[in-house]
């Protein structure tokens, strides 16, 4: 008896060919971008405060001389990320990894003098006394517009501490005293960043600026045999403000000829020159190795007439050389065969000359011709 081809077979072979190639996962290159900035804003040799003698017209006077300075340290740890599919770069800071610190230091010298009942005396310089304080705050880089931690601020006031407590012993037996100086420091500072400028030289000169936290900027890495890795330079620009103040609280008590004299209850603010300017971090070079090229898609064999051909073997060991080909045969398990006609149907004469059709139909209008159309519509089968 004749073997009947199932339409599901044609569909099953054609379905995989109907699926398009899946796109490769997005390639993201990662490189460290952790700019740092360390700057001495005012050096000890650059700033001097001299209170001169005070109180004016007092028989006992005090003079304070301060050499002060401050420096700033800013760390911005994070990464630059290059999207190879979108040909664009963006930046992500390390959460709470940023650091903004202000270091204030100074040296203090003091002098004492008196002029009482014709007795005059002036001390040599007492000191110097050194003091330093560091205030800092943490944040998530890069403090561009849209960053919730922008600006990173320091608003710090230290507790008063006693820096000086020294006896005053003139070479005059009728005079003696003691000098105490308490100090505290007020530090105001803020950092806001304006842009990360990015630039390349190869494969062509390009420049752009990231001004909003997390935004992407296009940078063309090019295609083909180009320099590997793709090199991008980044520079961070920020605005820095600092205004440190040292507050001195002296207390001088002297006993001269049996009479007490006191200088107390005075706060002396020493304002270190403020800083308000744009700072440029050092250039950070990022290298993004080029991703491996995607594998070549599989190709199908082509017949001389432009079609493709496959072979399939059924459970009986028979091999089918494809529908629509003259002289193909399918063999039943009982040994009977149906020969496929040149028209592509399965209703042609068999080896004994009988005309066999699937489902009882005859000629091209039978079920055999319909199955032939199903196989053709499902797509040519690929040669295994």
């Amino acid at each position: 008896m004749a073997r009947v081809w199932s339409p599901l077979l044609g569909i099953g072979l054609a379905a995989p060919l109907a699926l398009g190639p899946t796109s490769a996962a997005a390639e993201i290159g990662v490189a460290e971008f952790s700019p740092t900035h360390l700057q001495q804003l005012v050096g000890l040799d650059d700033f001097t405060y001299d209170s001169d003698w005070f109180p004016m017209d007092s028989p006992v006077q005090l003079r304070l001389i301060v050499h002060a300075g401050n420096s700033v340290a800013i760390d911005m740890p994070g990464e630059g990320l290059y999207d190879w599919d979108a040909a664009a770069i963006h930046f992500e800071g390390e959460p709470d990894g940023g650091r903004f610190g202000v270091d204030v230091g100074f040296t203090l010298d003091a002098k004492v003098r008196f002029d009482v009942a014709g007795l005059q005396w002036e001390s040599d310089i007492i000191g110097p006394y050194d003091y330093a304080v560091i205030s800092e705050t943490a944040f998530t880089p890069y403090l561009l517009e849209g960053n919730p931690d922008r600006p990173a601020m320091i608003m710090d006031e230290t507790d008063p501490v006693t820096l000086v407590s020294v006896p005053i012993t003139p070479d005059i037996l009728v005079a003696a005293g003691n000098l105490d100086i308490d100090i505290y420091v007020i530090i105001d500072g803020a950092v806001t960043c304006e842009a990360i400028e990015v630039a390349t030289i190869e494969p062509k000169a390009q420049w752009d600026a990231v001004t909003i936290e997390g935004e992407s900027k296009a940078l063309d890495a090019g295609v083909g045999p180009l320099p590997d890795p793709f090199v991008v330079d980044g520079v961070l620009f920020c605005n820095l403000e600092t205004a440190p103040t040292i507050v001195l609280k002296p207390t001088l008590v002297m006993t001269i000829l049996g009479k007490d004299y006191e200088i107390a209850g005075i706060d002396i603010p020493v304002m270190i020159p403020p800083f308000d300017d744009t700072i440029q971090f050092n250039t950070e070079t990022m290298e993004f190795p080029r991703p491996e090229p995607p594998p070549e898609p599989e190709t199908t064999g082509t017949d001389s007439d432009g079609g493709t051909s496959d072979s399939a073997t059924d459970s009986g060991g028979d091999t089918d050389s494809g529908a629509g080909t003259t002289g193909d045969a399918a063999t039943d398990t009982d040994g009977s065969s149906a020969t496929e006609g040149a028209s592509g149907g399965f209703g042609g004469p068999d080896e004994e000359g009988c005309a066999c059709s699937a489902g009882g139909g005859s000629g091209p209008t039978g079920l055999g011709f319909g199955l032939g159309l199903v196989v053709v519509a499902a797509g040519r089968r690929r040669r295994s």
Side-chain angles (χ1 to χ4, degrees):
M1 88 185 189
R3 179 180 180 192
V4 179
W5 283 86
S6 168
L8 295 178
L9 179 60
I11 295 173
L13 290 173
L17 298 178
L19 295 175
T22 58
S23 59
E27 291 280 359
I28 304 296
V30 180
E32 183 178 2
F33 183 75
S34 300
T36 62
H37 184 80
L38 179 61
Q39 181 178 352
Q40 181 173 281
L41 303 177
V42 178
L44 291 176
D45 295 334
D46 301 325
F47 175 76
T48 300
Y49 170 81
D50 189 340
S51 68
D52 208 346
W53 294 104
F54 69 94
M56 293 181 62
D57 303 324
S58 172
V60 177
Q61 293 181 314
L62 177 65
R63 184 177 185 177
L64 302 176
I65 301 170
V66 177
H67 297 279
N70 66 330
S71 61
V72 62
I74 306 173
D75 298 327
M76 298 274 194
E79 296 173 332
L81 297 97
Y82 186 76
D83 188 330
W84 288 95
D85 290 347
I89 192 169
H90 71 280
F91 295 88
E92 293 181 2
E94 179 183 322
D96 295 322
R99 173 181 170 266
F100 167 41
V102 177
D103 184 350
V104 177
F106 65 91
T107 62
L108 172 64
D109 299 304
K111 284 187 174 187
V112 176
R113 75 180 183 182
F114 60 79
D115 186 351
V116 177
L119 295 175
Q120 297 179 344
W121 178 82
E122 182 176 322
S123 72
D124 293 330
I125 291 178
I126 302 170
Y129 299 95
D130 298 326
Y131 184 81
V133 61
I134 299 176
S135 294
E136 61 182 37
T137 187
F139 56 89
T140 296
Y142 293 93
L143 297 178
L144 299 173
E145 183 180 345
N147 186 324
D149 291 341
R150 182 181 192 258
M153 300 184 67
I154 294 175
M155 299 182 66
D156 197 6
E157 180 176 320
T158 65
D159 295 328
V161 297
T162 299
L163 178 65
V164 177
S165 184
V166 58
I168 306 298
T169 56
D171 53 359
I172 301 175
L173 297 178
V174 293
N178 197 83
L179 173 64
D180 295 292
I181 302 177
D182 292 346
I183 63 103
Y184 65 92
V185 178
I186 301 171
I187 300 177
D188 290 332
V191 175
T192 57
C193 296
E194 306 304 323
I196 302 174
E197 295 189 357
V198 290
T200 67
I201 297 177
E202 292 182 335
K204 62 181 178 180
Q206 300 171 85
W207 176 93
D208 212 328
V210 176
T211 59
I212 299 175
E213 200 78 33
E215 77 171 334
S216 296
K217 289 295 183 177
L219 281 181
D220 184 9
V223 295
L226 297 170
D228 190 3
F230 178 46
V231 178
V232 179
D233 288 333
V235 182
L236 178 63
F237 291 85
C238 300
N239 189 75
L240 170 65
E241 302 174 41
T242 64
T245 301
I246 303 164
V247 182
L248 306 175
K249 298 172 65 70
T251 300
L252 174 63
V253 178
M254 294 291 298
T255 301
I256 305 171
L257 298 174
K259 184 177 179 179
D260 292 336
Y261 298 87
E262 184 179 72
I263 299 174
I266 300 174
D267 287 1
I268 302 175
V270 179
M271 299 181 64
I272 299 176
F275 182 92
D276 185 357
D277 203 355
T278 298
I279 56 174
Q280 175 179 331
F281 288 67
N282 291 332
T283 300
E284 298 287 309
T285 297
M286 296 165 283
E287 296 185 350
F288 301 100
R290 294 183 179 273
E292 293 293 329
E296 292 292 333
E298 294 185 3
T299 58
T300 58
T302 305
D303 290 339
S304 59
D305 61 355
T308 59
S309 61
D310 286 340
S311 61
T313 304
D314 65 13
S315 61
D318 301 326
T319 302
D320 173 7
S321 60
T325 305
T326 304
D328 288 349
T331 305
D332 268 337
T333 56
D334 62 358
S336 61
S337 64
T339 301
E340 187 179 343
S343 63
F346 290 91
D350 61 12
E351 291 179 349
E352 298 178 358
C354 69
C356 301
S357 62
S362 62
T365 59
L367 179 58
F369 183 72
L371 290 175
L373 290 178
V374 170
V375 174
V376 172
R380 296 186 180 89
R381 287 167 290 130
R382 181 165 50 86
R383 186 182 302 278
S384 61

